[in-house]
Amino acid sequence: MSLRSLNHPLAPATEQLRILGNPSSRQQPFEIALADSRLFPLASTGITVLQVNVGKLCNQSCQHCHVDAGPDRREIMTRETAELCIRALHLTGIPALDITGGAPELNPNFRWLVEQGVALGRHVIDRCNLSVLLLPSETDLARFLADHQVEVVASLPYFLAQRTDAQRGEGVFEKSIEALKLLNSLGYGQPESPLRLHLVYNPVGAFLPPPQKAIEADFRRELAARHGIVFHSLYTITNMPISRFLEFLLRSGNYERYMQKLISAYNPDAARSVMCRYTLSVGWDGMLYDCDFNQMLELPVDSGAPRHIRDFNTGLLENRRIVVGQHCYGCTAGAGSSCGGAIS
Amino acid sequence: MSGYYHQDDLPRFASIGDHAPELWKKFSEWYGAVFAEGALSEREKCLIALAVAHTVQCPYCIDAYTQACLEKGSNLEQMTEAVHVASAIRGGASLVHGLQMRNAAAKVSM
């Protein structure tokens, strides 16, 4: 169940921002950390990724989900808005179309969006929860992705069932393994294959991810030995202290400590290369954000840049200042975190 | 005061250097070098630290190295085995002293 459908006090972004915006005396404001690294104000370096969040509908309800997605969510991108996203790609040379959700494949316009992105010669990425590939309504989805050479970035927080299911729901690990085998059978993840398959590791709790290369080696060894599964890369992503993960942090008494951990692990090199500097994030309703996290906190792009995809303007958006807050420490801790994994 | 140990003390560890900064500096540098990747990986060193933490029964160290092990990619199976290694040595160390007992008993017995 989503926080929204539970009518949870943390469901509104305003309440999350209130908590994040009241740092204890020990929490250095993120802007100060940036200033100390000579990075304030943080600015866009250009747009190389158009990340389109096509809606909050998902067949899973993961414990850490920053979108608060789930089967009960009905916010979904219309064809009209999807067409505006394609128009923005058409007007620019943005090389990558990164489609996320919820489970983006459940949007009725998902396949159209993929086809249009491919027709424009853009690199198309699908952020996939794996289990969606096994739904009775999606039996041809994996084949569709392969036929269009869509890069699949698939969530799998651990190579053992207990930890995976603790985060993503009972039985999800088993389905994920079945879906990975299906993708492998189509050529995904095979050495030298153009069908790129990457896995995403999220910590199952209030701690930072391990070094990416080390845990990737573990996944490669264990998934091959236990299930005969292969993949290209593993991305480590830090859990952001927002939405359901924020609810977990507060409920378990880990909030202050986790924030301190993120802050004390602030890495200027990660901040310099943080993904919001080269990404433009589009919400299900066409609103524009610096990243998917700001989108969920309802913090749209600022500094005079257009706030809706219908008003897309490359010049203004490429030179915008990034909207930051305490949650941004999640992307700059340790080796850093992005949709492409560790940064530095 | 609810007890002698407080979780909030752990992040204040560095304040122990307030009255002996040079000693703290030397300790910190040595400590950092000990846990850096070397002939043993950082993960292996953290598992050793976790095991030793249970042997010296330091709640701060158990807390810190439980998190450190998770952040190095260890899982609960591996961490539990590490604690068993520490416990086995600790239990074995007691048991092997049974031979001292036997020696002492033999000495005074007819």
Side-chain angles (χ1 to χ4, degrees):
Chain A
M1 292 283 277
S2 66
L3 296 176
R4 175 66 62 91
S5 62
L6 291 169
N7 215 13
H8 194 283
L10 274 175
T14 47
E15 179 60 11
Q16 297 174 46
L17 287 169
R18 189 191 67 76
I19 291 166
L20 289 163
N22 282 301
S24 70
S25 57
R26 286 189 299 171
Q27 276 193 31
Q28 176 174 252
F30 186 71
E31 292 87 341
I32 302 294
L34 284 178
D36 289 347
S37 321
R38 299 176 182 275
L39 286 168
F40 186 80
L42 195 66
S44 169
T45 53
I47 304 168
T48 58
V49 179
L50 187 71
Q51 188 172 65
V52 180
N53 190 313
V54 294
K56 304 188 182 197
L57 175 63
C58 188
N59 57 312
Q60 294 182 187
S61 295
C62 301
Q63 296 270 348
H64 70 305
C65 182
H66 71 275
V67 179
D68 194 25
D72 55 297
R73 299 303 297 263
R74 291 293 172 261
E75 300 91 334
I76 201 145
M77 182 176 280
T78 62
R79 175 66 166 264
E80 183 187 12
T81 305
E83 285 173 2
L84 291 172
C85 295
I86 293 301
R87 187 181 69 113
L89 281 180
H90 188 67
L91 291 172
T92 65
I94 298 173
L97 170 63
D98 184 338
I99 310 176
T100 188
E105 306 88 346
L106 297 181
N107 182 312
N109 299 302
F110 171 78
R111 296 186 191 206
W112 180 86
L113 202 52
V114 168
E115 287 164 351
Q116 297 302 308
V118 170
L120 286 173
R122 308 308 157 91
H123 180 64
V124 180
I125 300 164
D126 173 30
R127 296 199 175 267
C128 180
N129 70 13
L130 291 174
S131 67
V132 73
L133 299 173
L134 306 180
L135 292 178
S137 60
E138 305 296 335
T139 49
D140 60 341
L141 176 58
R143 168 59 67 187
F144 170 84
L145 295 171
D147 287 347
H148 292 80
Q149 303 226 331
V150 175
E151 177 178 318
V152 173
V153 179
S155 304
L156 188 72
Y158 207 61
F159 51 76
L160 297 174
Q162 192 272 333
R163 273 170 80 170
T164 300
D165 289 358
Q167 182 186 83
R168 303 181 72 75
E170 196 63 37
V172 168
F173 179 78
E174 199 176 324
K175 290 178 188 168
S176 302
I177 294 300
E178 190 180 340
L180 284 170
K181 286 180 177 173
L182 171 63
L183 289 169
N184 278 174
S185 73
L186 293 168
Y188 270 104
Q190 303 291 349
E192 313 300 328
S193 170
L195 296 175
R196 308 304 289 174
L197 173 62
H198 309 297
L199 303 182
V200 173
Y201 167 100
N202 279 95
V204 185
F207 52 92
L208 295 178
Q212 189 164 276
K213 282 292 162 204
I215 195 72
E216 180 185 89
D218 288 353
F219 268 64
R220 204 176 294 291
R221 183 187 66 244
E222 296 296 327
L223 287 177
R226 293 167 189 259
H227 306 287
I229 287 170
V230 291
F231 60 95
H232 288 122
S233 309
L234 180 133
Y235 301 153
T236 55
I237 297 187
T238 303
N239 289 318
M240 290 295 130
I242 67 172
S243 195
R244 278 189 213 147
F245 191 67
L246 176 61
E247 189 277 328
F248 159 76
L249 290 174
L250 291 167
R251 174 167 41 86
S252 60
N254 280 300
Y255 174 67
E256 276 295 333
R257 199 174 191 206
Y258 188 71
M259 291 305 297
Q260 282 303 326
K261 186 183 282 285
L262 296 181
I263 291 166
S264 61
Y266 173 78
N267 176 356
D269 289 337
R272 199 163 289 116
S273 307
V274 77
M275 67 174 293
C276 52
R277 303 190 79 184
Y278 56 84
T279 300
L280 182 66
S281 164
V282 190
W284 66 273
D285 55 358
M287 290 290 284
L288 299 179
Y289 304 86
D290 296 313
C291 69
D292 208 47
F293 306 114
N294 279 7
Q295 182 179 143
M296 300 314 146
L297 290 171
E298 298 173 12
L299 297 170
V301 290
D302 208 346
S303 63
R307 290 188 165 185
H308 197 278
I309 190 73
R310 79 170 80 84
D311 305 315
F312 185 87
N313 178 309
T314 312
L316 290 173
L317 286 161
E318 281 189 336
N319 293 297
R320 72 190 191 276
R321 278 173 60 167
I322 306 294
V323 177
V324 298
Q326 292 303 89
H327 62 291
C328 299
Y329 277 115
C331 284
T332 60
S337 180
S338 74
C339 289
I343 297 168
S344 62
Chain B
M1 185 179 277
S2 58
Y4 288 108
Y5 290 112
H6 300 281
Q7 194 182 60
D8 289 349
D9 286 342
L10 188 54
R12 295 176 51 244
F13 185 18
S15 68
I16 204 72
D18 285 354
H19 301 287
E22 279 305 309
L23 291 176
W24 172 255
K25 184 166 177 284
K26 286 177 179 178
F27 171 79
S28 300
E29 288 170 354
W30 172 71
Y31 196 95
V34 164
F35 280 93
E37 192 93 4
L40 293 174
S41 68
E42 290 183 345
R43 183 186 301 180
E44 289 166 333
K45 290 180 179 184
C46 279
L47 283 167
I48 293 170
L50 181 70
V52 174
H54 282 77
T55 302
V56 298
Q57 291 179 308
C58 168
Y60 298 121
C61 307
I62 292 171
D63 188 355
Y65 282 97
T66 295
Q67 294 211 36
C69 282
L70 290 169
E71 289 177 352
K72 296 300 175 196
S74 294
N75 58 46
L76 283 177
E77 287 82 351
Q78 294 161 337
M79 292 156 66
T80 304
E81 284 189 15
V83 172
H84 272 287
V85 170
S87 304
I89 293 296
R90 195 169 173 136
S94 293
L95 197 56
V96 76
H97 279 77
L99 297 176
Q100 297 276 343
M101 172 271 289
R102 294 278 175 80
N103 291 343
K107 187 172 182 181
V108 298
S109 299
M110 286 188 287

